[in-house]
PDB file of all heavy atoms in Angstrom:
ATOM      1  N   PRO A 275     119.054 171.977 173.992  1.00  0.00           N
ATOM      2  CA  PRO A 275     117.891 171.280 174.609  1.00  0.00           C
ATOM      3  C   PRO A 275     116.915 170.702 173.631  1.00  0.00           C
ATOM      4  O   PRO A 275     116.353 169.678 173.941  1.00  0.00           O
ATOM      5  CB  PRO A 275     117.280 172.389 175.489  1.00  0.00           C
ATOM      6  CG  PRO A 275     118.437 173.234 175.907  1.00  0.00           C
ATOM      7  CD  PRO A 275     119.343 173.269 174.702  1.00  0.00           C
ATOM      8  N   PHE A 291     116.637 164.878 180.055  1.00  0.00           N
ATOM      9  CA  PHE A 291     118.089 164.688 179.974  1.00  0.00           C
ATOM     10  C   PHE A 291     118.396 163.321 180.618  1.00  0.00           C
ATOM     11  O   PHE A 291     118.183 163.145 181.820  1.00  0.00           O
ATOM     12  CB  PHE A 291     118.775 165.828 180.742  1.00  0.00           C
ATOM     13  CG  PHE A 291     118.521 167.178 180.115  1.00  0.00           C
ATOM     14  CD1 PHE A 291     117.369 167.861 180.402  1.00  0.00           C
ATOM     15  CD2 PHE A 291     119.436 167.717 179.229  1.00  0.00           C
ATOM     16  CE1 PHE A 291     117.048 169.093 179.795  1.00  0.00           C
ATOM     17  CE2 PHE A 291     119.152 168.934 178.602  1.00  0.00           C
ATOM     18  CZ  PHE A 291     117.975 169.641 178.877  1.00  0.00           C
ATOM     19  N   PRO A 306     126.415 172.725 179.889  1.00  0.00           N
ATOM     20  CA  PRO A 306     125.941 173.748 178.940  1.00  0.00           C
ATOM     21  C   PRO A 306     126.705 175.060 179.076  1.00  0.00           C
ATOM     22  O   PRO A 306     127.240 175.382 180.112  1.00  0.00           O
ATOM     23  CB  PRO A 306     124.484 173.933 179.417  1.00  0.00           C
ATOM     24  CG  PRO A 306     124.184 172.908 180.398  1.00  0.00           C
ATOM     25  CD  PRO A 306     125.448 172.344 180.872  1.00  0.00           C
ATOM     26  N   TYR A 307     126.724 175.814 177.954  1.00  0.00           N
ATOM     27  CA  TYR A 307     127.152 177.210 178.013  1.00  0.00           C
ATOM     28  C   TYR A 307     126.060 177.976 178.772  1.00  0.00           C
ATOM     29  O   TYR A 307     124.919 177.574 178.859  1.00  0.00           O
ATOM     30  CB  TYR A 307     127.343 177.741 176.586  1.00  0.00           C
ATOM     31  CG  TYR A 307     126.366 177.144 175.597  1.00  0.00           C
ATOM     32  CD1 TYR A 307     125.050 177.617 175.478  1.00  0.00           C
ATOM     33  CD2 TYR A 307     126.744 176.072 174.788  1.00  0.00           C
ATOM     34  CE1 TYR A 307     124.154 177.075 174.562  1.00  0.00           C
ATOM     35  CE2 TYR A 307     125.861 175.488 173.899  1.00  0.00           C
ATOM     36  CZ  TYR A 307     124.567 175.953 173.809  1.00  0.00           C
ATOM     37  OH  TYR A 307     123.667 175.437 172.947  1.00  0.00           O
ATOM     38  N   TYR A 308     126.412 179.199 179.202  1.00  0.00           N
ATOM     39  CA  TYR A 308     125.374 180.057 179.781  1.00  0.00           C
ATOM     40  C   TYR A 308     124.401 180.410 178.737  1.00  0.00           C
ATOM     41  O   TYR A 308     124.741 180.601 177.544  1.00  0.00           O
ATOM     42  CB  TYR A 308     126.039 181.332 180.439  1.00  0.00           C
ATOM     43  CG  TYR A 308     126.886 180.927 181.613  1.00  0.00           C
ATOM     44  CD1 TYR A 308     128.213 180.643 181.479  1.00  0.00           C
ATOM     45  CD2 TYR A 308     126.233 180.771 182.852  1.00  0.00           C
ATOM     46  CE1 TYR A 308     128.928 180.171 182.547  1.00  0.00           C
ATOM     47  CE2 TYR A 308     127.004 180.341 183.963  1.00  0.00           C
ATOM     48  CZ  TYR A 308     128.303 180.046 183.807  1.00  0.00           C
ATOM     49  OH  TYR A 308     129.044 179.588 184.854  1.00  0.00           O
ATOM     50  N   HIS A 309     123.134 180.474 179.085  1.00  0.00           N
ATOM     51  CA  HIS A 309     122.144 180.749 178.087  1.00  0.00           C
ATOM     52  C   HIS A 309     121.027 181.643 178.615  1.00  0.00           C
ATOM     53  O   HIS A 309     120.659 181.593 179.751  1.00  0.00           O
ATOM     54  CB  HIS A 309     121.625 179.497 177.420  1.00  0.00           C
ATOM     55  CG  HIS A 309     121.235 178.427 178.403  1.00  0.00           C
ATOM     56  ND1 HIS A 309     122.133 177.663 179.057  1.00  0.00           N
ATOM     57  CD2 HIS A 309     119.986 177.909 178.708  1.00  0.00           C
ATOM     58  CE1 HIS A 309     121.449 176.797 179.794  1.00  0.00           C
ATOM     59  NE2 HIS A 309     120.189 176.915 179.586  1.00  0.00           N
ATOM     60  N   SER A 310     120.592 182.498 177.722  1.00  0.00           N
ATOM     61  CA  SER A 310     119.484 183.393 177.994  1.00  0.00           C
ATOM     62  C   SER A 310     118.424 183.041 176.961  1.00  0.00           C
ATOM     63  O   SER A 310     118.419 183.538 175.876  1.00  0.00           O
ATOM     64  CB  SER A 310     119.997 184.824 177.842  1.00  0.00           C
ATOM     65  OG  SER A 310     118.954 185.706 178.173  1.00  0.00           O
ATOM     66  N   ASN A 311     117.560 182.101 177.418  1.00  0.00           N
ATOM     67  CA  ASN A 311     116.500 181.681 176.491  1.00  0.00           C
ATOM     68  C   ASN A 311     115.401 182.729 176.591  1.00  0.00           C
ATOM     69  O   ASN A 311     114.490 182.605 177.456  1.00  0.00           O
ATOM     70  CB  ASN A 311     116.025 180.278 176.801  1.00  0.00           C
ATOM     71  CG  ASN A 311     116.231 179.836 178.232  1.00  0.00           C
ATOM     72  OD1 ASN A 311     116.823 180.566 179.036  1.00  0.00           O
ATOM     73  ND2 ASN A 311     115.679 178.695 178.575  1.00  0.00           N
ATOM     74  N   GLU A 316     112.154 178.225 182.205  1.00  0.00           N
ATOM     75  CA  GLU A 316     112.642 176.812 182.171  1.00  0.00           C
ATOM     76  C   GLU A 316     112.489 176.183 183.569  1.00  0.00           C
ATOM     77  O   GLU A 316     112.998 176.704 184.539  1.00  0.00           O
ATOM     78  CB  GLU A 316     114.146 176.808 181.729  1.00  0.00           C
ATOM     79  CG  GLU A 316     114.814 175.470 181.804  1.00  0.00           C
ATOM     80  CD  GLU A 316     116.305 175.606 181.788  1.00  0.00           C
ATOM     81  OE1 GLU A 316     116.879 175.923 180.746  1.00  0.00           O
ATOM     82  OE2 GLU A 316     116.914 175.393 182.872  1.00  0.00           O
ATOM     83  N   VAL A 317     111.836 175.037 183.564  1.00  0.00           N
ATOM     84  CA  VAL A 317     111.610 174.295 184.836  1.00  0.00           C
ATOM     85  C   VAL A 317     112.303 172.971 184.716  1.00  0.00           C
ATOM     86  O   VAL A 317     111.919 172.108 183.899  1.00  0.00           O
ATOM     87  CB  VAL A 317     110.117 174.073 185.096  1.00  0.00           C
ATOM     88  CG1 VAL A 317     109.944 173.478 186.479  1.00  0.00           C
ATOM     89  CG2 VAL A 317     109.358 175.377 185.000  1.00  0.00           C
ATOM     90  N   MET A 318     113.340 172.752 185.518  1.00  0.00           N
ATOM     91  CA  MET A 318     114.064 171.492 185.456  1.00  0.00           C
ATOM     92  C   MET A 318     113.784 170.684 186.713  1.00  0.00           C
ATOM     93  O   MET A 318     113.857 171.222 187.844  1.00  0.00           O
ATOM     94  CB  MET A 318     115.556 171.811 185.447  1.00  0.00           C
ATOM     95  CG  MET A 318     116.438 170.657 185.102  1.00  0.00           C
ATOM     96  SD  MET A 318     116.426 170.261 183.379  1.00  0.00           S
ATOM     97  CE  MET A 318     117.729 171.234 182.800  1.00  0.00           C
ATOM     98  N   TYR A 320     114.929 167.452 188.774  1.00  0.00           N
ATOM     99  CA  TYR A 320     116.104 166.589 188.891  1.00  0.00           C
ATOM    100  C   TYR A 320     115.619 165.260 189.509  1.00  0.00           C
ATOM    101  O   TYR A 320     115.260 165.225 190.689  1.00  0.00           O
ATOM    102  CB  TYR A 320     117.202 167.243 189.712  1.00  0.00           C
ATOM    103  CG  TYR A 320     117.561 168.612 189.152  1.00  0.00           C
ATOM    104  CD1 TYR A 320     116.854 169.776 189.517  1.00  0.00           C
ATOM    105  CD2 TYR A 320     118.562 168.765 188.199  1.00  0.00           C
ATOM    106  CE1 TYR A 320     117.137 170.990 188.971  1.00  0.00           C
ATOM    107  CE2 TYR A 320     118.896 169.985 187.648  1.00  0.00           C
ATOM    108  CZ  TYR A 320     118.179 171.106 188.064  1.00  0.00           C
ATOM    109  OH  TYR A 320     118.437 172.352 187.495  1.00  0.00           O
ATOM    110  N   TYR A 325     123.387 165.512 188.818  1.00  0.00           N
ATOM    111  CA  TYR A 325     123.263 166.471 187.729  1.00  0.00           C
ATOM    112  C   TYR A 325     124.495 167.388 187.632  1.00  0.00           C
ATOM    113  O   TYR A 325     124.676 168.286 188.488  1.00  0.00           O
ATOM    114  CB  TYR A 325     121.963 167.283 187.848  1.00  0.00           C
ATOM    115  CG  TYR A 325     121.547 167.819 186.518  1.00  0.00           C
ATOM    116  CD1 TYR A 325     120.893 167.022 185.566  1.00  0.00           C
ATOM    117  CD2 TYR A 325     121.818 169.141 186.149  1.00  0.00           C
ATOM    118  CE1 TYR A 325     120.584 167.452 184.297  1.00  0.00           C
ATOM    119  CE2 TYR A 325     121.485 169.635 184.917  1.00  0.00           C
ATOM    120  CZ  TYR A 325     120.901 168.796 183.992  1.00  0.00           C
ATOM    121  OH  TYR A 325     120.563 169.258 182.757  1.00  0.00           O
ATOM    122  N   ARG A 328     124.765 171.380 187.845  1.00  0.00           N
ATOM    123  CA  ARG A 328     124.257 172.084 189.061  1.00  0.00           C
ATOM    124  C   ARG A 328     125.150 171.768 190.295  1.00  0.00           C
ATOM    125  O   ARG A 328     124.731 172.107 191.401  1.00  0.00           O
ATOM    126  CB  ARG A 328     122.809 171.655 189.364  1.00  0.00           C
ATOM    127  CG  ARG A 328     121.822 172.040 188.276  1.00  0.00           C
ATOM    128  CD  ARG A 328     121.250 173.433 188.478  1.00  0.00           C
ATOM    129  NE  ARG A 328     122.081 174.447 187.903  1.00  0.00           N
ATOM    130  CZ  ARG A 328     122.056 174.851 186.629  1.00  0.00           C
ATOM    131  NH1 ARG A 328     121.219 174.290 185.779  1.00  0.00           N
ATOM    132  NH2 ARG A 328     122.854 175.793 186.203  1.00  0.00           N
ATOM    133  N   THR A 339     114.361 173.418 189.578  1.00  0.00           N
ATOM    134  CA  THR A 339     114.755 174.835 189.428  1.00  0.00           C
ATOM    135  C   THR A 339     113.897 175.507 188.438  1.00  0.00           C
ATOM    136  O   THR A 339     113.456 174.907 187.432  1.00  0.00           O
ATOM    137  CB  THR A 339     116.237 174.944 188.996  1.00  0.00           C
ATOM    138  OG1 THR A 339     116.423 174.165 187.811  1.00  0.00           O
ATOM    139  CG2 THR A 339     117.181 174.460 190.068  1.00  0.00           C
ATOM    140  N   HIS A 341     114.292 178.684 186.026  1.00  0.00           N
ATOM    141  CA  HIS A 341     115.161 179.717 185.441  1.00  0.00           C
ATOM    142  C   HIS A 341     114.261 180.572 184.587  1.00  0.00           C
ATOM    143  O   HIS A 341     113.912 180.158 183.438  1.00  0.00           O
ATOM    144  CB  HIS A 341     116.255 179.083 184.612  1.00  0.00           C
ATOM    145  CG  HIS A 341     117.186 178.208 185.444  1.00  0.00           C
ATOM    146  ND1 HIS A 341     117.640 176.966 185.031  1.00  0.00           N
ATOM    147  CD2 HIS A 341     117.675 178.364 186.685  1.00  0.00           C
ATOM    148  CE1 HIS A 341     118.438 176.440 185.970  1.00  0.00           C
ATOM    149  NE2 HIS A 341     118.470 177.291 186.976  1.00  0.00           N
ATOM    150  N   HIS A 347     121.285 181.994 182.655  1.00  0.00           N
ATOM    151  CA  HIS A 347     121.703 180.952 183.569  1.00  0.00           C
ATOM    152  C   HIS A 347     122.636 179.953 182.872  1.00  0.00           C
ATOM    153  O   HIS A 347     122.790 179.940 181.687  1.00  0.00           O
ATOM    154  CB  HIS A 347     120.489 180.251 184.168  1.00  0.00           C
ATOM    155  CG  HIS A 347     119.747 179.373 183.187  1.00  0.00           C
ATOM    156  ND1 HIS A 347     118.811 179.918 182.393  1.00  0.00           N
ATOM    157  CD2 HIS A 347     119.825 178.084 182.886  1.00  0.00           C
ATOM    158  CE1 HIS A 347     118.321 178.925 181.594  1.00  0.00           C
ATOM    159  NE2 HIS A 347     118.952 177.865 181.866  1.00  0.00           N
ATOM    160  N   GLY A 348     123.233 179.117 183.702  1.00  0.00           N
ATOM    161  CA  GLY A 348     124.184 178.120 183.220  1.00  0.00           C
ATOM    162  C   GLY A 348     124.771 177.426 184.408  1.00  0.00           C
ATOM    163  O   GLY A 348     124.231 177.509 185.533  1.00  0.00           O
ATOM    164  N   MET A 369     112.427 168.392 181.867  1.00  0.00           N
ATOM    165  CA  MET A 369     112.390 169.816 181.776  1.00  0.00           C
ATOM    166  C   MET A 369     111.111 170.255 181.076  1.00  0.00           C
ATOM    167  O   MET A 369     110.691 169.646 180.095  1.00  0.00           O
ATOM    168  CB  MET A 369     113.607 170.353 180.985  1.00  0.00           C
ATOM    169  CG  MET A 369     113.662 171.847 180.866  1.00  0.00           C
ATOM    170  SD  MET A 369     115.176 172.377 180.018  1.00  0.00           S
ATOM    171  CE  MET A 369     114.637 172.263 178.331  1.00  0.00           C
ATOM    172  N   ASP A 371     109.720 173.740 179.375  1.00  0.00           N
ATOM    173  CA  ASP A 371     110.012 175.146 178.955  1.00  0.00           C
ATOM    174  C   ASP A 371     108.718 175.755 178.530  1.00  0.00           C
ATOM    175  O   ASP A 371     108.009 175.206 177.677  1.00  0.00           O
ATOM    176  CB  ASP A 371     110.976 175.151 177.761  1.00  0.00           C
ATOM    177  CG  ASP A 371     112.420 175.357 178.209  1.00  0.00           C
ATOM    178  OD1 ASP A 371     112.745 175.157 179.410  1.00  0.00           O
ATOM    179  OD2 ASP A 371     113.242 175.679 177.344  1.00  0.00           O
TER     180      ASP A 371
HETATM  181 FE1  FE2 B   1     118.794 176.043 180.744  1.00  0.00          FE
END
Side-chain angles (χ1 to χ4, degrees):
F291 298 82
Y307 34 81
Y308 293 91
H309 47 288
S310 183
N311 26 354
E316 175 197 286
V317 185
M318 190 76 90
Y320 306 87
Y325 203 79
R328 298 271 87 83
T339 53
H341 298 138
H347 69 275
M369 183 176 85
D371 264 17

